[in-house]
Amino acid sequence: MVPLSFAGEEFALTQGRALYWPRERALLVADLHLEKASFYARHGQMLPPYDSRETLERVALAIRETGARRVYTLGDNFHDSHGSTRLEDHAAGMLAALTRATDWVWITGNHDPAMEARSGGTIAEELELAGIVLRHQARAGETQPELSGHYHPRLQITVRERHIRRACAVVASGDGSGGRMILPAFGALTGGMNAADPAIRDAMQPAARIDAVLPLAGKLAQFPLWRAAA
């Protein structure tokens, strides 16, 4: 884990794309997209049906590494509105164990929250914790500190003619904003959007600066994405 200061609080980014909040003993993960493989299989694109197992194993590992007592998922928890009904027994058992062992809160995303209701834990469309809003999609114009997901940001850079793409968080600050962060997608089968995409930039306004951040060689690496005109 690498430390990250945000909105007057101390957090840590894990190597596995989760955000840990030590003061709250809370683990935050975005865009699990459980049962994505089975969704594609039903539409003729056959993928190995073990993505939910892998994603939940990653969550369990992050809980063990951090000692988290709470888990907040920031939306797009299942890939579609019938996802929870397709969980095979092993993955369903893993999820039930995790929601029993922690204070688990599903922040709902683009889909029917009924699927989360069948899987343990509690449900909220959004909530505020210690002055920070937790929601699925960043809200343009928000000036209160905010943590969200939805965009699956990836840093895309070229180094010595090598194209590098890595999942990252995106942090906006300044210009009246209390600080806002978009978490990387956590799920095993989640793709990514260029962190410098205008859709992300626009969603993070107002801001004076927007940066990509990620753990790199045991340290927090920061890459500028956008700066307001002087």
Side-chain angles (χ1 to χ4, degrees):
M1 294 191 296
V2 298
L4 169 63
S5 296
F6 170 78
E9 295 278 341
E10 295 304 316
F11 292 83
L13 277 172
T14 76
Q15 296 293 334
R17 307 181 191 175
L19 182 70
Y20 181 57
W21 192 347
R23 187 168 72 86
E24 298 291 335
R25 299 198 72 176
L27 187 76
L28 297 103
V29 291
D31 299 282
L32 301 178
H33 283 270
L34 298 170
E35 290 305 302
K36 183 173 182 177
S38 63
F39 172 85
Y40 276 95
R42 294 178 73 179
H43 292 81
Q45 184 176 346
M46 304 308 293
L47 295 172
Y50 305 114
D51 58 305
S52 294
R53 289 191 191 190
E54 181 178 347
T55 297
L56 293 170
E57 286 170 357
R58 291 180 183 181
V59 175
L61 176 61
I63 291 171
R64 290 196 298 270
E65 288 180 339
T66 61
R69 298 287 183 86
R70 297 170 163 180
V71 175
Y72 295 93
T73 71
L74 301 183
D76 281 0
N77 305 305
F78 288 85
H79 189 67
D80 68 290
S81 60
H82 300 289
S84 64
T85 67
R86 298 197 304 274
L87 279 170
E88 44 89 15
D89 290 344
H90 183 80
M94 292 174 66
L95 181 56
L98 290 171
T99 57
R100 285 196 305 266
T102 61
D103 181 8
W104 186 289
V105 179
W106 303 97
I107 304 295
T108 56
N110 303 339
H111 306 298
D112 182 357
M115 56 188 166
E116 287 90 344
R118 292 190 288 265
S119 302
T122 58
I123 296 172
E125 183 175 348
E126 62 180 54
L127 59 83
E128 183 177 325
L129 182 63
I132 299 177
V133 177
L134 311 184
R135 60 168 56 106
H136 175 56
Q137 185 172 353
R139 182 173 297 168
E142 179 65 81
T143 56
Q144 189 169 346
E146 175 193 74
L147 292 168
S148 64
H150 183 67
Y151 288 100
H152 304 203
R154 283 183 180 267
L155 179 67
Q156 298 183 189
I157 57 175
T158 301
V159 178
R160 297 177 181 175
E161 299 184 352
R162 291 180 56 202
H163 299 291
I164 299 173
R165 300 176 72 235
R166 292 195 180 182
C168 66
V170 175
V171 178
S173 58
D175 200 22
S177 170
R180 302 167 71 203
M181 187 188 316
I182 298 174
L183 271 60
F186 191 87
L189 286 182
T190 49
M193 173 186 282
N194 185 347
D197 191 282
I200 294 178
R201 180 197 64 207
D202 292 346
M204 299 291 270
Q205 299 301 323
R209 57 185 295 157
I210 301 175
D211 299 286
V213 296
L214 69 160
L216 195 63
K219 298 181 180 180
L220 184 71
Q222 183 169 315
F223 298 85
L225 298 173
W226 179 85
R227 296 292 184 267

